[in-house]
mmCIF file with all atom_site columns, all heavy atoms in Angstrom:
data_model
loop_
_atom_site.group_PDB
_atom_site.id
_atom_site.type_symbol
_atom_site.label_atom_id
_atom_site.label_alt_id
_atom_site.label_comp_id
_atom_site.label_asym_id
_atom_site.label_entity_id
_atom_site.label_seq_id
_atom_site.pdbx_PDB_ins_code
_atom_site.Cartn_x
_atom_site.Cartn_y
_atom_site.Cartn_z
_atom_site.occupancy
_atom_site.B_iso_or_equiv
_atom_site.pdbx_formal_charge
_atom_site.auth_seq_id
_atom_site.auth_comp_id
_atom_site.auth_asym_id
_atom_site.auth_atom_id
_atom_site.pdbx_PDB_model_num
ATOM 1   N N   . GLY A 1 9  ? 7.378  23.830 -1.928  1.00 0.00 ? 27  GLY A N   1
ATOM 2   C CA  . GLY A 1 9  ? 8.486  24.781 -2.041  1.00 0.00 ? 27  GLY A CA  1
ATOM 3   C C   . GLY A 1 9  ? 8.302  25.633 -3.490  1.00 0.00 ? 27  GLY A C   1
ATOM 4   O O   . GLY A 1 9  ? 7.345  25.342 -4.082  1.00 0.00 ? 27  GLY A O   1
ATOM 5   N N   . THR A 1 10 ? 9.268  26.307 -3.724  1.00 0.00 ? 28  THR A N   1
ATOM 6   C CA  . THR A 1 10 ? 9.308  27.142 -4.961  1.00 0.00 ? 28  THR A CA  1
ATOM 7   C C   . THR A 1 10 ? 10.222 26.466 -5.908  1.00 0.00 ? 28  THR A C   1
ATOM 8   O O   . THR A 1 10 ? 11.256 26.038 -5.627  1.00 0.00 ? 28  THR A O   1
ATOM 9   C CB  . THR A 1 10 ? 9.908  28.555 -4.631  1.00 0.00 ? 28  THR A CB  1
ATOM 10  O OG1 . THR A 1 10 ? 9.079  29.258 -3.565  1.00 0.00 ? 28  THR A OG1 1
ATOM 11  C CG2 . THR A 1 10 ? 9.847  29.502 -5.926  1.00 0.00 ? 28  THR A CG2 1
ATOM 12  N N   . VAL A 1 11 ? 9.649  26.338 -7.163  1.00 0.00 ? 29  VAL A N   1
ATOM 13  C CA  . VAL A 1 11 ? 10.371 25.661 -8.234  1.00 0.00 ? 29  VAL A CA  1
ATOM 14  C C   . VAL A 1 11 ? 11.552 26.520 -8.569  1.00 0.00 ? 29  VAL A C   1
ATOM 15  O O   . VAL A 1 11 ? 11.394 27.805 -8.938  1.00 0.00 ? 29  VAL A O   1
ATOM 16  C CB  . VAL A 1 11 ? 9.544  25.454 -9.409  1.00 0.00 ? 29  VAL A CB  1
ATOM 17  C CG1 . VAL A 1 11 ? 10.319 24.779 -10.600 1.00 0.00 ? 29  VAL A CG1 1
ATOM 18  C CG2 . VAL A 1 11 ? 8.428  24.525 -8.991  1.00 0.00 ? 29  VAL A CG2 1
ATOM 19  N N   . THR A 1 12 ? 12.813 25.946 -8.571  1.00 0.00 ? 30  THR A N   1
ATOM 20  C CA  . THR A 1 12 ? 14.033 26.808 -8.947  1.00 0.00 ? 30  THR A CA  1
ATOM 21  C C   . THR A 1 12 ? 14.608 26.192 -10.144 1.00 0.00 ? 30  THR A C   1
ATOM 22  O O   . THR A 1 12 ? 15.445 26.883 -10.665 1.00 0.00 ? 30  THR A O   1
ATOM 23  C CB  . THR A 1 12 ? 15.068 26.736 -7.810  1.00 0.00 ? 30  THR A CB  1
ATOM 24  O OG1 . THR A 1 12 ? 15.373 25.272 -7.556  1.00 0.00 ? 30  THR A OG1 1
ATOM 25  C CG2 . THR A 1 12 ? 14.617 27.365 -6.557  1.00 0.00 ? 30  THR A CG2 1
ATOM 26  N N   . MET A 1 13 ? 14.253 25.050 -10.627 1.00 0.00 ? 31  MET A N   1
ATOM 27  C CA  . MET A 1 13 ? 14.817 24.490 -11.794 1.00 0.00 ? 31  MET A CA  1
ATOM 28  C C   . MET A 1 13 ? 13.987 23.461 -12.464 1.00 0.00 ? 31  MET A C   1
ATOM 29  O O   . MET A 1 13 ? 13.419 22.696 -11.693 1.00 0.00 ? 31  MET A O   1
ATOM 30  C CB  . MET A 1 13 ? 16.337 23.878 -11.508 1.00 0.00 ? 31  MET A CB  1
ATOM 31  C CG  . MET A 1 13 ? 16.932 23.289 -12.655 1.00 0.00 ? 31  MET A CG  1
ATOM 32  S SD  . MET A 1 13 ? 18.388 22.197 -12.192 1.00 0.00 ? 31  MET A SD  1
ATOM 33  C CE  . MET A 1 13 ? 17.618 20.800 -11.337 1.00 0.00 ? 31  MET A CE  1
ATOM 34  N N   . ILE A 1 14 ? 13.878 23.447 -13.699 1.00 0.00 ? 32  ILE A N   1
ATOM 35  C CA  . ILE A 1 14 ? 13.248 22.047 -14.396 1.00 0.00 ? 32  ILE A CA  1
ATOM 36  C C   . ILE A 1 14 ? 14.153 21.890 -15.519 1.00 0.00 ? 32  ILE A C   1
ATOM 37  O O   . ILE A 1 14 ? 14.335 22.676 -16.353 1.00 0.00 ? 32  ILE A O   1
ATOM 38  C CB  . ILE A 1 14 ? 11.765 22.516 -14.861 1.00 0.00 ? 32  ILE A CB  1
ATOM 39  C CG1 . ILE A 1 14 ? 10.872 22.889 -13.707 1.00 0.00 ? 32  ILE A CG1 1
ATOM 40  C CG2 . ILE A 1 14 ? 11.182 21.215 -15.650 1.00 0.00 ? 32  ILE A CG2 1
ATOM 41  C CD1 . ILE A 1 14 ? 9.559  23.506 -14.215 1.00 0.00 ? 32  ILE A CD1 1
ATOM 42  N N   . GLU A 1 15 ? 14.536 20.590 -15.491 1.00 0.00 ? 33  GLU A N   1
ATOM 43  C CA  . GLU A 1 15 ? 15.553 20.117 -16.699 1.00 0.00 ? 33  GLU A CA  1
ATOM 44  C C   . GLU A 1 15 ? 15.220 18.764 -17.091 1.00 0.00 ? 33  GLU A C   1
ATOM 45  O O   . GLU A 1 15 ? 14.656 17.988 -16.444 1.00 0.00 ? 33  GLU A O   1
ATOM 46  C CB  . GLU A 1 15 ? 17.010 20.456 -16.295 1.00 0.00 ? 33  GLU A CB  1
ATOM 47  C CG  . GLU A 1 15 ? 17.457 19.489 -15.104 1.00 0.00 ? 33  GLU A CG  1
ATOM 48  C CD  . GLU A 1 15 ? 18.920 19.829 -14.694 1.00 0.00 ? 33  GLU A CD  1
ATOM 49  O OE1 . GLU A 1 15 ? 19.457 20.906 -15.058 1.00 0.00 ? 33  GLU A OE1 1
ATOM 50  O OE2 . GLU A 1 15 ? 19.374 18.948 -13.987 1.00 0.00 ? 33  GLU A OE2 1
ATOM 51  N N   . LEU A 1 31 ? 13.589 16.749 -14.209 1.00 0.00 ? 49  LEU A N   1
ATOM 52  C CA  . LEU A 1 31 ? 14.127 16.898 -12.932 1.00 0.00 ? 49  LEU A CA  1
ATOM 53  C C   . LEU A 1 31 ? 13.610 18.201 -12.434 1.00 0.00 ? 49  LEU A C   1
ATOM 54  O O   . LEU A 1 31 ? 14.011 19.177 -13.019 1.00 0.00 ? 49  LEU A O   1
ATOM 55  C CB  . LEU A 1 31 ? 15.536 16.551 -12.819 1.00 0.00 ? 49  LEU A CB  1
ATOM 56  C CG  . LEU A 1 31 ? 16.203 16.486 -11.462 1.00 0.00 ? 49  LEU A CG  1
ATOM 57  C CD1 . LEU A 1 31 ? 15.594 15.144 -10.579 1.00 0.00 ? 49  LEU A CD1 1
ATOM 58  C CD2 . LEU A 1 31 ? 17.672 16.295 -11.528 1.00 0.00 ? 49  LEU A CD2 1
ATOM 59  N N   . MET A 1 32 ? 12.818 18.322 -11.295 1.00 0.00 ? 50  MET A N   1
ATOM 60  C CA  . MET A 1 32 ? 12.210 19.550 -10.836 1.00 0.00 ? 50  MET A CA  1
ATOM 61  C C   . MET A 1 32 ? 12.805 19.779 -9.510  1.00 0.00 ? 50  MET A C   1
ATOM 62  O O   . MET A 1 32 ? 12.815 18.999 -8.533  1.00 0.00 ? 50  MET A O   1
ATOM 63  C CB  . MET A 1 32 ? 10.690 19.499 -10.723 1.00 0.00 ? 50  MET A CB  1
ATOM 64  C CG  . MET A 1 32 ? 10.252 20.776 -10.176 1.00 0.00 ? 50  MET A CG  1
ATOM 65  S SD  . MET A 1 32 ? 8.254  20.613 -10.007 1.00 0.00 ? 50  MET A SD  1
ATOM 66  C CE  . MET A 1 32 ? 7.798  20.558 -11.622 1.00 0.00 ? 50  MET A CE  1
ATOM 67  N N   . SER A 1 33 ? 13.555 20.958 -9.265  1.00 0.00 ? 51  SER A N   1
ATOM 68  C CA  . SER A 1 33 ? 14.247 21.266 -7.906  1.00 0.00 ? 51  SER A CA  1
ATOM 69  C C   . SER A 1 33 ? 13.223 22.281 -7.297  1.00 0.00 ? 51  SER A C   1
ATOM 70  O O   . SER A 1 33 ? 12.786 23.301 -7.794  1.00 0.00 ? 51  SER A O   1
ATOM 71  C CB  . SER A 1 33 ? 15.495 21.966 -8.137  1.00 0.00 ? 51  SER A CB  1
ATOM 72  O OG  . SER A 1 33 ? 16.368 20.986 -8.692  1.00 0.00 ? 51  SER A OG  1
ATOM 73  N N   . LEU A 1 34 ? 13.176 21.988 -5.959  1.00 0.00 ? 52  LEU A N   1
ATOM 74  C CA  . LEU A 1 34 ? 12.254 22.766 -5.068  1.00 0.00 ? 52  LEU A CA  1
ATOM 75  C C   . LEU A 1 34 ? 13.145 23.430 -4.033  1.00 0.00 ? 52  LEU A C   1
ATOM 76  O O   . LEU A 1 34 ? 13.912 22.774 -3.382  1.00 0.00 ? 52  LEU A O   1
ATOM 77  C CB  . LEU A 1 34 ? 11.056 22.075 -4.362  1.00 0.00 ? 52  LEU A CB  1
ATOM 78  C CG  . LEU A 1 34 ? 10.004 21.570 -5.322  1.00 0.00 ? 52  LEU A CG  1
ATOM 79  C CD1 . LEU A 1 34 ? 8.974  20.866 -4.487  1.00 0.00 ? 52  LEU A CD1 1
ATOM 80  C CD2 . LEU A 1 34 ? 9.457  22.454 -6.239  1.00 0.00 ? 52  LEU A CD2 1
ATOM 81  N N   . LEU A 1 57 ? 0.520  23.843 -16.144 1.00 0.00 ? 75  LEU A N   1
ATOM 82  C CA  . LEU A 1 57 ? 1.849  24.006 -16.529 1.00 0.00 ? 75  LEU A CA  1
ATOM 83  C C   . LEU A 1 57 ? 2.627  24.631 -15.316 1.00 0.00 ? 75  LEU A C   1
ATOM 84  O O   . LEU A 1 57 ? 2.239  25.665 -14.826 1.00 0.00 ? 75  LEU A O   1
ATOM 85  C CB  . LEU A 1 57 ? 1.910  24.843 -17.694 1.00 0.00 ? 75  LEU A CB  1
ATOM 86  C CG  . LEU A 1 57 ? 3.265  25.106 -18.399 1.00 0.00 ? 75  LEU A CG  1
ATOM 87  C CD1 . LEU A 1 57 ? 3.905  23.698 -18.851 1.00 0.00 ? 75  LEU A CD1 1
ATOM 88  C CD2 . LEU A 1 57 ? 3.120  26.115 -19.557 1.00 0.00 ? 75  LEU A CD2 1
ATOM 89  N N   . ILE A 1 58 ? 3.635  23.949 -14.969 1.00 0.00 ? 76  ILE A N   1
ATOM 90  C CA  . ILE A 1 58 ? 4.584  24.415 -13.886 1.00 0.00 ? 76  ILE A CA  1
ATOM 91  C C   . ILE A 1 58 ? 5.795  25.178 -14.462 1.00 0.00 ? 76  ILE A C   1
ATOM 92  O O   . ILE A 1 58 ? 6.432  24.746 -15.430 1.00 0.00 ? 76  ILE A O   1
ATOM 93  C CB  . ILE A 1 58 ? 4.963  23.393 -12.987 1.00 0.00 ? 76  ILE A CB  1
ATOM 94  C CG1 . ILE A 1 58 ? 3.801  22.563 -12.402 1.00 0.00 ? 76  ILE A CG1 1
ATOM 95  C CG2 . ILE A 1 58 ? 5.945  23.835 -11.871 1.00 0.00 ? 76  ILE A CG2 1
ATOM 96  C CD1 . ILE A 1 58 ? 2.863  23.272 -11.496 1.00 0.00 ? 76  ILE A CD1 1
ATOM 97  N N   . SER A 1 59 ? 6.077  26.313 -13.851 1.00 0.00 ? 77  SER A N   1
ATOM 98  C CA  . SER A 1 59 ? 7.210  27.147 -14.306 1.00 0.00 ? 77  SER A CA  1
ATOM 99  C C   . SER A 1 59 ? 8.065  27.492 -13.262 1.00 0.00 ? 77  SER A C   1
ATOM 100 O O   . SER A 1 59 ? 7.675  27.439 -12.014 1.00 0.00 ? 77  SER A O   1
ATOM 101 C CB  . SER A 1 59 ? 6.768  28.436 -14.923 1.00 0.00 ? 77  SER A CB  1
ATOM 102 O OG  . SER A 1 59 ? 5.893  28.202 -16.060 1.00 0.00 ? 77  SER A OG  1
ATOM 103 N N   . ILE A 1 60 ? 9.355  27.883 -13.431 1.00 0.00 ? 78  ILE A N   1
ATOM 104 C CA  . ILE A 1 60 ? 10.230 28.320 -12.531 1.00 0.00 ? 78  ILE A CA  1
ATOM 105 C C   . ILE A 1 60 ? 9.624  29.512 -11.694 1.00 0.00 ? 78  ILE A C   1
ATOM 106 O O   . ILE A 1 60 ? 9.077  30.506 -12.304 1.00 0.00 ? 78  ILE A O   1
ATOM 107 C CB  . ILE A 1 60 ? 11.547 28.731 -13.014 1.00 0.00 ? 78  ILE A CB  1
ATOM 108 C CG1 . ILE A 1 60 ? 12.298 27.417 -13.649 1.00 0.00 ? 78  ILE A CG1 1
ATOM 109 C CG2 . ILE A 1 60 ? 12.506 29.452 -11.939 1.00 0.00 ? 78  ILE A CG2 1
ATOM 110 C CD1 . ILE A 1 60 ? 13.555 27.636 -14.363 1.00 0.00 ? 78  ILE A CD1 1
ATOM 111 N N   . GLY A 1 61 ? 9.671  29.580 -10.286 1.00 0.00 ? 79  GLY A N   1
ATOM 112 C CA  . GLY A 1 61 ? 9.082  30.585 -9.541  1.00 0.00 ? 79  GLY A CA  1
ATOM 113 C C   . GLY A 1 61 ? 7.727  30.101 -8.938  1.00 0.00 ? 79  GLY A C   1
ATOM 114 O O   . GLY A 1 61 ? 7.239  30.789 -7.969  1.00 0.00 ? 79  GLY A O   1
ATOM 115 N N   . ASP A 1 62 ? 7.036  29.120 -9.493  1.00 0.00 ? 80  ASP A N   1
ATOM 116 C CA  . ASP A 1 62 ? 5.836  28.679 -8.995  1.00 0.00 ? 80  ASP A CA  1
ATOM 117 C C   . ASP A 1 62 ? 5.896  27.895 -7.615  1.00 0.00 ? 80  ASP A C   1
ATOM 118 O O   . ASP A 1 62 ? 6.956  27.227 -7.306  1.00 0.00 ? 80  ASP A O   1
ATOM 119 C CB  . ASP A 1 62 ? 5.060  27.659 -9.868  1.00 0.00 ? 80  ASP A CB  1
ATOM 120 C CG  . ASP A 1 62 ? 4.625  28.347 -11.238 1.00 0.00 ? 80  ASP A CG  1
ATOM 121 O OD1 . ASP A 1 62 ? 4.451  29.586 -11.212 1.00 0.00 ? 80  ASP A OD1 1
ATOM 122 O OD2 . ASP A 1 62 ? 4.436  27.568 -12.101 1.00 0.00 ? 80  ASP A OD2 1
ATOM 123 N N   . ARG A 1 63 ? 4.976  28.070 -6.717  1.00 0.00 ? 81  ARG A N   1
ATOM 124 C CA  . ARG A 1 63 ? 5.020  27.260 -5.539  1.00 0.00 ? 81  ARG A CA  1
ATOM 125 C C   . ARG A 1 63 ? 4.132  26.049 -5.778  1.00 0.00 ? 81  ARG A C   1
ATOM 126 O O   . ARG A 1 63 ? 3.063  26.060 -6.231  1.00 0.00 ? 81  ARG A O   1
ATOM 127 C CB  . ARG A 1 63 ? 4.330  28.096 -4.286  1.00 0.00 ? 81  ARG A CB  1
ATOM 128 C CG  . ARG A 1 63 ? 5.261  29.147 -3.814  1.00 0.00 ? 81  ARG A CG  1
ATOM 129 C CD  . ARG A 1 63 ? 5.187  29.458 -2.358  1.00 0.00 ? 81  ARG A CD  1
ATOM 130 N NE  . ARG A 1 63 ? 4.826  28.481 -1.414  1.00 0.00 ? 81  ARG A NE  1
ATOM 131 C CZ  . ARG A 1 63 ? 5.557  27.627 -0.689  1.00 0.00 ? 81  ARG A CZ  1
ATOM 132 N NH1 . ARG A 1 63 ? 6.906  27.851 -0.817  1.00 0.00 ? 81  ARG A NH1 1
ATOM 133 N NH2 . ARG A 1 63 ? 5.107  26.807 0.119   1.00 0.00 ? 81  ARG A NH2 1
ATOM 134 N N   . VAL A 1 64 ? 4.784  24.956 -5.440  1.00 0.00 ? 82  VAL A N   1
ATOM 135 C CA  . VAL A 1 64 ? 4.065  23.672 -5.726  1.00 0.00 ? 82  VAL A CA  1
ATOM 136 C C   . VAL A 1 64 ? 4.317  22.743 -4.509  1.00 0.00 ? 82  VAL A C   1
ATOM 137 O O   . VAL A 1 64 ? 5.081  22.880 -3.666  1.00 0.00 ? 82  VAL A O   1
ATOM 138 C CB  . VAL A 1 64 ? 4.658  22.850 -6.963  1.00 0.00 ? 82  VAL A CB  1
ATOM 139 C CG1 . VAL A 1 64 ? 4.498  23.830 -8.219  1.00 0.00 ? 82  VAL A CG1 1
ATOM 140 C CG2 . VAL A 1 64 ? 6.068  22.487 -6.806  1.00 0.00 ? 82  VAL A CG2 1
ATOM 141 N N   . LYS A 1 89 ? 0.073  22.595 -8.035  1.00 0.00 ? 107 LYS A N   1
ATOM 142 C CA  . LYS A 1 89 ? 0.398  24.086 -7.963  1.00 0.00 ? 107 LYS A CA  1
ATOM 143 C C   . LYS A 1 89 ? -0.331 24.649 -6.858  1.00 0.00 ? 107 LYS A C   1
ATOM 144 O O   . LYS A 1 89 ? -1.632 24.625 -6.835  1.00 0.00 ? 107 LYS A O   1
ATOM 145 C CB  . LYS A 1 89 ? -0.017 24.771 -9.292  1.00 0.00 ? 107 LYS A CB  1
ATOM 146 C CG  . LYS A 1 89 ? 0.595  26.175 -9.311  1.00 0.00 ? 107 LYS A CG  1
ATOM 147 C CD  . LYS A 1 89 ? 0.406  26.607 -10.843 1.00 0.00 ? 107 LYS A CD  1
ATOM 148 C CE  . LYS A 1 89 ? 1.029  28.040 -10.971 1.00 0.00 ? 107 LYS A CE  1
ATOM 149 N NZ  . LYS A 1 89 ? 0.837  28.498 -12.312 1.00 0.00 ? 107 LYS A NZ  1
#
Side-chain angles (χ1 to χ4, degrees):
T28 303
V29 177
T30 59
M31 179 194 70
I32 302 171
E33 63 184 16
L49 190 62
M50 178 186 293
S51 294
L52 300 183
L75 180 64
I76 303 296
S77 303
I78 293 173
D80 289 342
R81 285 211 31 94
V82 302
K107 189 172 183 179

